[in-house]
Amino acid sequence: NALSREKPQLADCLSTSKVLVVGAGGIGCELLKNLVLTGFKNIEVIDLDTIDVSNLNRQFLFQKKHVGKSKAQVAKESALQFCPSANITAYHDSIMNPDYNVEFFRKFVLVMNALDNRAARNHVNRMCLAADIPLIESGTAGYLGQVTVIKKGMTECYECQPKPTQKTFPGCTIRNTPSEPIHCIVWAKYLFNQLFGEEDADQEVSPDTADPEAAWNPEETAARATASEKDGDIKRISTKEWARSTGYDPIKLFNKLFKDDIMYLLTMDKLWKKRKAPIPLDWQPTLEMSSQGYSETPGLGLKDQQVLGVWGYCKLFQQSVETLRSQLQEKGEGAELVWDKDDPPAMDFVTSAANLRMHIFSMNMKSRFDVKSMAGNIIPAIATTNAVIAGLIVLEGLKILSGELESCRTIFLNKCPNLRKKLLVPCVLDPPSANCYVCASKPEVTVKLNVHKTAVLTLQDRILKERFGMVAPDVQIEDGKGTILISSEEGETEANNSKFLGDFGIRNGSRLQADDFLQDYTLLITVLHTEELERDVEFEVVGEAPDKAPPPQSNKEEVNSITNGNKDSAQPSTSSKAPSEDDDIMIVDSDEDEGASSSAAVAAAVGTKRKHSDAGTGETSTKRPRTDQSSAAAAPTDDDDDIIALD
């Protein structure tokens, strides 16, 4: 082929180099096809997900006959039809499984991400830093996309710049394991369409029986998927068909959605080993509690900004269903309603349904004003965007294998041309941030919290795992005694979970050392005690605004070119030259890959003890010696390229 004629050494390198593809969804399918057609012969691909019908419109390595099967395995089989001589290894697993340790990553000359969630992106970023392997990061959001290269000591890592709050989530999270109010709001919008609007297979609201986290055995996952026509012994019909058969009875709808479906979720017991289980709601007991005075009363202030009690939302649900039912009847047989945040009955329905689900999953309920402000549009997955981004990944990979890291770029794909009439905008790679809490030589961070109100479990789950992306942290207090506060060994420090940090002598200025040996990562945390945090704020990271994007770029032309198009969407970004919007907004369903949450990874990780005894003292150390990273290399300064070239 042309590559063999022009660069024979590179062509030989492709046939011998081993590369890892993380994800076999929208980008991953296109990427795997591109790799084998370009001449890559040794490829390993990993994906936890199984194939769903909704994937088939853009993940072209899959067909209808493959529904319910492993994405990684089917992608391998399909890619081999393009190049039977290729050597492809497929793993139906989570990349956050501790089996895929630093030594595993060191087998590869290059890692390529095709992921759909931040937890897995953070983890792969850290593993590649620990293994000193180049990583190509990518993402798409509707018509927008980005590709960037991450190399230890030379470029920014994925976590160098603070990321805004992720706005959309995989379908299994929406249907089975919501953990934030936005999950419940998206579920309620889907429910509106399933009951009153245009039914969409991508917007299913019933429990997801094929949730990969609920069944880690591939055969069991496939069996659940193929058997998903039945829930227990009840033949499944469409949500709208069932609702019509009840005459849109609001009480029957209530008990189906908030009692029966929740009780079915509870039978998927693997989901609740590391999470608080949901509590079903029953209309009649709720009504009885209300009549006995147990229902909360709304507070003062504007009506839209009040948070009602559970019974208040029950009544709002009933009223909105009856109103929407009347609107359907007026439109005639086969009519459909369109959800509009400015339509009061539609907004009442989403507000009440979302809040009831929040209550069931132990979240603080939200006012109608808050729900309305959070109920934004869902960004679709565009097959062409995935194809363009997958092609750019391979082009950057060829530069890396040619030894031309200095010519690598962060490339933005925009919806509309920039001032130079270009859809693709290359930017030079930024050097590492000196203050990064991941890739700095000695990562440190300061956290402001109330030591008398912050429990050890909050430190572990909300701060270390959720905020700082650790999988199975070990924490010791730097108090001269090496007190172990949290151990990744199951059961070893569970007695500490409900205690407050202040109970262990932690006070203003105390320092904690948090280690994650799977990621070969240590973070030093300085605690600042305060009693002045805002309501519902558990902690703050000092010096960072985690819900805000990096500061805007001074180059006006570049900013205009990047942010042109849908201002509510976002581009995946690690670069400070990126747009000031979310980096990895993804389609809200389980179509891409890696839906595994940190808690699932912890469940897999806790069986491995990673402490090392000190030969001199006989004491147990919670951290291996760590070598400092090399100093940052100078990055190119020429940022005027409009054409992406290999040389």
Side-chain angles (χ1 to χ4, degrees), residues 313 316 346-356 366-368 371:
Y313 285 122
L316 188 62
M347 195 62 233
D348 285 344
F349 176 85
V350 168
T351 299
S352 57
N355 272 298
L356 290 169
K366 297 290 183 182
S367 69
R368 191 176 189 274
V371 172

Side-chain angles (χ1 to χ4, degrees), residues 474-549:
D474 294 291
V475 180
Q476 72 173 6
I477 308 170
E478 292 193 344
D479 55 1
K481 306 172 187 176
T483 302
I484 304 298
L485 188 66
I486 298 171
S487 172
S488 59
E489 186 74 13
E490 188 172 11
E492 191 169 279
T493 55
E494 277 187 11
N496 295 348
N497 286 349
S498 60
K499 298 178 182 178
F500 297 114
L501 300 185
D503 297 339
F504 296 87
I506 297 172
R507 58 187 186 276
N508 189 55
S510 292
R511 286 168 62 88
L512 310 175
Q513 179 174 299
D515 297 277
D516 192 317
F517 290 107
L518 171 62
Q519 298 177 340
D520 191 19
Y521 174 55
T522 297
L523 180 64
L524 294 176
I525 302 170
T526 300
V527 175
L528 287 186
H529 170 68
T530 181
E531 298 181 3
E532 299 177 355
L533 290 174
E534 294 180 16
R535 184 180 177 184
D536 296 330
V537 175
E538 295 175 296
F539 65 94
E540 289 180 2
V541 179
V542 177
E544 260 187 25
D547 292 333
K548 296 179 181 178

Side-chain angles (χ1 to χ4, degrees), residues 426-476:
C427 303
V428 294
L429 298 170
D430 288 319
S433 168
N435 299 320
C436 179
Y437 64 80
V438 174
C439 67
S441 58
K442 293 182 179 180
E444 295 190 34
V445 73
T446 299
V447 178
K448 185 187 295 185
L449 49 77
N450 188 328
V451 297
H452 304 304
K453 293 183 178 180
T454 303
V456 173
L457 189 61
T458 299
L459 172 67
Q460 175 184 283
D461 291 347
R462 297 276 292 119
I463 300 178
L464 297 178
K465 292 181 182 178
E466 187 177 319
R467 177 65 184 83
F468 294 121
M470 294 187 171
V471 175
D474 294 291
V475 180
Q476 72 173 6

